[in-house]
Amino acid sequence: MIHHAHSVARVRAGAQRFKQLAYASAGALALLAGAAHAQDAAPAQEDTAVDEVVVTGYRRSLEQSAEIKRREVGVVEAVSAEDIGKLPDVSIAESLARLPGLTGQRVNGRVQVISIRGLSPDFSTTLLNGRQQVSAGDNRAAEFDQYPSELLNSVVVYKTSNAALIGQGLSGTVDMRTVRPLDQKGRVMTLNARREISDLDKANPDGSKSGYRFSASYIDQFADGTIGVALGYAHLDSPTQVQQYKAWYWEQPAQFTGANAGAYSLGGQEIFATNRDQVRDGYMGVLEWRPNDKLHSTLDLFYSTFDQKEIRRGMQWFSSPSTPDATVFLNPGFTKVGNSLINTSGTATNVTPVVRNDLNTRKDEQFAVGWNTSYVSGATTYTADIGYSKVERREQILETYAGYGPIRTFDNIGYDLNFNGVGKYTTSLDYADASRVQLGDPAAWGGWGHDGAIRFPEVEDRMFTGDFRIDHDVSETRLGGFLSSVQAGINYTDRKKDKTVDDNDLFLKNGRAPTTVASQYLLSPASLSFAGIDQVLAINLPKALPVYYDIVPIGNADDYNKDWKIQERLTTAYLMAKIDTHVGALPIKGDIGLQYISTKQESTGYTVSGGTAQAPSLVSVEDTYDELLPSLNLTAEPVENLYVRFGVAKTSARPRLDDMRASITAGVDALTFRWSGSGGNPYLKPWKATAFDLSVEKYFAPGTYIAVAGYYKDLETYIYNKSVDYDFSNVPNTGTVTPVSNIGLLTRPENGEGGKLYGYEISGAVDFGLITPWLKGFGFVGSMSHTKTDIQPDGPGSSNALPGLSGDVYNVTGYYERAGFSARISKRHRSAFRGEVVQLFAYRGFTQVLADEQVDAQIGYEFQDGPLKGLSAVLQVNNLDNSPYRTRTGVLSDGTMLPETNDQYGRQYIFGLNYKF
């Protein structure tokens, strides 16, 4: 009851804060209206007056994006290319992360997944030209770095639902769109080349610090403009340097006494120099046929390969008195952080560092094809659409261990920690000495029991979609004056996703005897100078692996727990009426509709008894259920170009695929004689919510607007791990203990208690030249959002944050564009959040990511006339402020943050040329 009262209080406080923000935003709206009153009077006349003016560059992108937002009935955000092939980012993920209410999570230095309105990527759906797409990730969330920005013309993010939007997400739906060649005026060909370089030194001898991008596109029309063709190719070769530091855990050793009693020290740490090289080739093709006003057919093709190679070299070691090595701290120095005393300097004795050489590779292959045909017969339009998408992911995760020989030789390591960054260390031994550093297992507690590990995760995801709809114009019937059209359709989606992880230990040949590495398998040492350590041994792993190691399958229960297969068959029938009416003199447009979704899901996994995976059996489970999702969107225009939008809908998001696995690992406890186990839940139902949206948008001129939006989501259910009574009769008991009952406790994901999520967004764009001619060419684009929730994602009484939720997000961009010259600088910020990352043994897990921000800047020039007309040059600097990726392990009672990860990516400099002809 106490918790419930606090939750209600928080919701009421949030609602009151939203109301105050609405009044404040209304004041800002009035202020901007006064500043642009000259343009506010007659935007339609302005369109007529400037009909012959061709707007290009960034301003064109802003105008196109604002126009998409303005003409939609629901609440949407959009990003549009400045020109064909000229979205400036490496992938569309970077562009999406700048939209209002959206934010990205950096993976390997670049944005990969997107959160919408504080909900994790699991709650959104991704479309390509209106068709659902598969994902190379472990679950449903799209990895947007798979999609070259050069091959996309625009992206629309639907924040409200409508009945005709298939696969709609609970937080939002992202629709990526390629160009339509018949919408272009004449033939267009573009070439784009960019060179990039990192300001960090090359981390490893076999890595790289410079790369390049190249793209080309061709658009043309034939047969008197009835056939259109668009072809595009984009190549990316982009390296990343990473200086990595990670704290394992913090403890309060008994060694600290007197005034220093209770001080915290670091129990373990690691330092890595990492090179990541990403090579991506993307292909796009569109064939469009429109022989007359009645028939229109479009064929879309997309294909990409994405190869990633990661080389990691470094050291890791325990520095804890609680290990068998019994580390002793000499001359410890202390720093007070908050009210806590932290050991930040000294010398750790009896330390046995592990020298790591790791090689991780990943190859993704993605393909999508779609065919859409519509035919108009009188007042009725018939549309058929079919699509197929597939992705395959193949990974290698390889780690090897070495130590100073003879193995487990103790070292004394000096340390001077930087509580907000990377500390400095000194060693007394040379870990680049090939005559002394040996392959082996020098870790504490007698070693880890193997000399390395190699894992091979694989994912395959396939989806077929078929859609048939009828759209009937009723504006000339008795329904006219209230409805403009009625749409009905049926959609069928069949998705199959498999994941396997082949786990193996590495054992040195000759009975695991430690050995040095021959010179032909060595490279120049890797530098850890950013952390004060000179060099570490660098091994050419592709050559050395078969010479020194045997690969032995692990074969324990964890192996089988990671393997699963899910198939989903969804049939969606939908009916939607488009509203076009007046209430008095007030024009209102909108839609009202209903989706009926019939779901059949089949999950396959392994039932395993005992940690050594005895008697694994393959199990398949089927389940069916239905859903009804009504929706309503209304848009009123009380004065010209002022839009008030309201939306309410029942929304849902299907469960995570790994949560749905039909896997169980169980055993009988030798003390309680009772069964217990853990696994997935093939009977999971979707997350469900009732969503309310309200948005007020004022458009002053093309590309100049301000918008204030509020949203409220009432989640009926949330999925979290829960221990439930379970009948283990079908699980073989391979142990020696006889259970007192077949009923025991199974910990698995369950549909449990939901909660509230609410917030607001303020966004806008201003062309300062509309205010005064003195500022012609200058402009500003920005947004901010604030989100709160009372959802307890780990079950009632838990205190962990909602995954993906950053309470505060903002994006700002200032720009100048005139007479061919252009310049802009952007900053995006998201507050701390609970992010999902890959953890030990290829498992997914959560960590607390600290506030993340990035500043990007660019300048450019486009030749307006003469022989070089169509040529433009650009210089970009990404991550201008060298913002690190940081996580924490926990927070003490006094608020002191205990740091965990600090990754430095450095700045990325890019010079590019673009030619359009």
Side-chain angles (χ1 to χ4, degrees), residues 86 128 353 364 416 545 730 737:
K86 284 190 66 176
L128 179 62
D364 301 337
D416 186 4
L545 184 67
N730 295 324
V737 180

Side-chain angles (χ1 to χ4, degrees), residues 31 130 216 233 308 328 402 424 444 465 559 568 735 738 794 796 812 856 872:
L31 181 63
Y233 168 72
Q308 302 176 72
V328 175
K424 296 296 183 181
T465 61
D559 294 350
E568 300 170 329
T738 301
D794 297 323
V812 292
D856 303 321
S872 59

Side-chain angles (χ1 to χ4, degrees), residues 313-610:
R313 296 190 176 97
M315 295 171 56
Q316 56 187 187
W317 64 93
F318 285 98
S319 54
S320 169
S322 62
T323 67
D325 295 336
T327 297
V328 175
F329 300 110
L330 302 180
N331 303 315
F334 299 89
T335 302
K336 196 165 188 179
V337 181
N339 296 323
S340 301
L341 202 59
I342 309 295
N343 171 221
T344 54
S345 64
T347 299
T349 67
N350 301 336
V351 175
T352 56
V354 178
V355 176
R356 289 276 295 271
N357 276 256
D358 298 356
L359 176 61
N360 304 325
T361 61
R362 172 173 166 173
K363 182 172 184 178
D364 301 337
E365 186 175 12
Q366 185 162 342
F367 171 74
V369 59
W371 184 23
N372 180 284
T373 300
S374 62
Y375 180 74
V376 179
S377 177
T380 305
T381 301
Y382 303 90
T383 302
D385 187 285
I386 58 174
Y388 177 77
S389 62
K390 178 181 179 180
V391 65
E392 294 182 354
R393 182 184 106 207
R394 303 288 184 265
E395 281 187 272
Q396 171 191 280
I397 303 174
L398 168 63
E399 59 185 53
T400 65
Y401 318 139
Y404 200 88
I407 285 291
R408 295 191 51 73
T409 298
F410 285 140
D411 194 1
N412 297 332
I413 297 183
Y415 57 96
D416 186 4
L417 303 184
N418 179 348
F419 212 60
N420 294 311
V422 179
K424 296 296 183 181
Y425 295 87
T426 58
T427 63
S428 59
L429 302 176
D430 181 4
Y431 292 93
D433 186 347
S435 67
R436 296 302 302 270
V437 176
Q438 299 177 330
L439 300 178
D441 182 15
W445 283 285
W448 289 325
H450 54 207
D451 305 307
I454 186 167
R455 297 177 173 85
F456 300 99
E458 295 187 1
V459 167
E460 186 171 330
D461 199 355
R462 296 87 69 201
M463 182 186 297
F464 168 81
T465 61
D467 189 277
F468 179 76
R469 66 183 64 186
I470 299 174
D471 195 325
H472 185 69
D473 188 340
V474 298
S475 58
E476 300 300 324
T477 70
R478 286 180 298 175
L479 296 174
F482 179 66
L483 300 180
S484 61
S485 66
V486 176
Q487 187 176 93
I490 188 165
N491 178 279
Y492 177 74
T493 301
D494 188 344
R495 182 177 192 173
K496 301 177 183 177
K497 186 156 189 170
D498 307 349
K499 182 184 178 184
T500 61
V501 180
D502 180 12
D503 279 350
N504 302 273
D505 279 331
L506 295 179
F507 294 112
L508 287 168
K509 297 179 183 294
N510 300 320
R512 296 190 63 202
T515 181
T516 57
V517 181
S519 59
Q520 64 265 38
Y521 305 113
L522 295 177
L523 301 169
S524 300
S527 173
L528 301 179
S529 58
F530 67 91
I533 298 174
D534 188 19
Q535 295 178 324
V536 294
L537 194 72
I539 303 171
N540 187 333
L541 283 180
K543 292 183 177 180
L545 184 67
V547 175
Y548 292 99
Y549 294 98
D550 291 322
I551 299 176
V552 179
I554 296 175
N556 63 20
D558 283 343
D559 294 350
Y560 292 96
N561 200 29
K562 300 173 195 172
D563 296 354
W564 46 262
K565 178 187 296 184
I566 307 292
Q567 181 170 9
E568 300 170 329
R569 299 181 180 93
L570 280 69
T571 302
T572 304
Y574 54 96
L575 178 66
M576 185 176 76
K578 293 185 178 180
I579 301 169
D580 191 351
T581 188
H582 285 75
V583 176
L586 180 65
I588 294 179
K589 293 185 178 182
D591 57 67
I592 184 171
L594 178 68
Q595 279 189 1
Y596 166 76
I597 306 175
S598 175
T599 300
K600 181 179 181 180
Q601 60 192 36
E602 181 179 354
S603 175
T604 302
Y606 285 96
T607 295
V608 181
S609 177

